[in-house]
């Protein structure tokens, strides 16, 4: 449900959420770079690479606000608590999508395990 809601945003291409056997949900956000780059151009946000855009403080702040707004009607346990912006594109050729364009969850968890674990570790350090 949350993947469908968040991926409806113009700045989001795809969303992968996980949280099985965890206290809360985290998400990997795969941006729609066409719309993101257009915004950066229109607002004079300098960048050289797409990765530069994703580490920009203003872009991260806007993503956070957009995701929070999209989740406003969800129960607390359904919401993405932390997310990471991923500069990759999910493709059939990349081995992460099925022929019907569904995400291969196990492969995504394995491929982005470091990013997922970092979100959970950061959460623990914020709670301490």
């Amino acid at each position: 449900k949350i993947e469908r809601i968040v991926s409806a945003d113009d700045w989001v291409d795809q969303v992968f959420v996980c949280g099985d056997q965890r206290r809360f949900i985290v998400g990997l956000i795969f941006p729609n770079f066409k719309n993101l780059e257009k915004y950066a151009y229109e607002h004079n946000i300098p960048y050289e690479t797409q990765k530069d855009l994703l580490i920009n403080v203003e872009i991260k702040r806007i993503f956070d606000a957009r995701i929070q707004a999209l989740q406003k009607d969800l129960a607390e346990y359904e919401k993405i608590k932390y997310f990471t912006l991923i500069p990759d594109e999910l493709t059939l050729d990349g081995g992460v999508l099925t022929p019907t364009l569904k995400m291969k969850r196990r492969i995504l968890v394995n491929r982005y395990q470091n990013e997922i674990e970092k979100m959970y570790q950061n959460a623990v350090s914020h709670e301490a």
Side-chain angles (χ1 to χ4, degrees):
K1 178 179 175 179
I2 186 63
E3 289 174 345
R4 183 176 35 81
I5 290 169
V6 174
S7 65
D9 187 87
D10 290 343
W11 278 26
V12 176
D13 186 34
Q14 292 175 306
V15 179
F16 174 73
V17 298
C18 53
D20 290 344
Q21 309 299 316
R22 304 283 189 138
R23 290 185 9 219
F24 54 86
I25 295 172
V26 296
L28 301 174
I29 309 292
F30 299 85
N32 178 321
F33 281 105
K34 180 181 172 190
N35 291 339
L36 187 55
E37 289 170 346
K38 180 180 176 196
Y39 178 89
Y41 175 78
E42 290 171 350
H43 292 85
N44 297 316
I45 297 174
Y47 70 96
E48 290 184 27
T49 66
Q50 291 177 335
K51 195 170 188 174
D52 291 339
L53 271 178
L54 301 186
I55 60 173
N56 179 285
V57 174
E58 180 180 351
I59 296 297
K60 288 167 82 172
R61 182 184 52 76
I62 294 170
F63 260 103
D64 187 53
R66 293 173 83 104
I67 289 169
Q68 296 308 316
L70 290 164
Q71 300 183 108
K72 69 181 176 9
D73 295 329
L74 295 175
E76 233 12 73
Y77 67 89
E78 294 178 302
K79 293 180 180 179
I80 296 172
K81 299 291 185 218
Y82 296 93
F83 67 89
T84 299
L85 299 172
I86 305 292
D88 304 330
E89 184 178 346
L90 299 182
T91 64
L92 185 61
D93 292 339
V96 293
L97 297 178
T98 68
T100 59
L101 303 181
K102 290 187 172 87
M103 291 182 274
K104 294 181 179 178
R105 303 188 78 73
R106 194 170 359 152
I107 291 174
L108 285 168
V109 167
N110 289 336
R111 185 170 294 177
Y112 295 103
Q113 184 159 4
N114 290 338
E115 290 83 352
I116 293 167
E117 289 306 317
K118 189 181 289 184
M119 286 185 279
Y120 284 109
Q121 289 170 1
N122 287 343
V124 169
S125 67
H126 282 100
E127 292 173 356

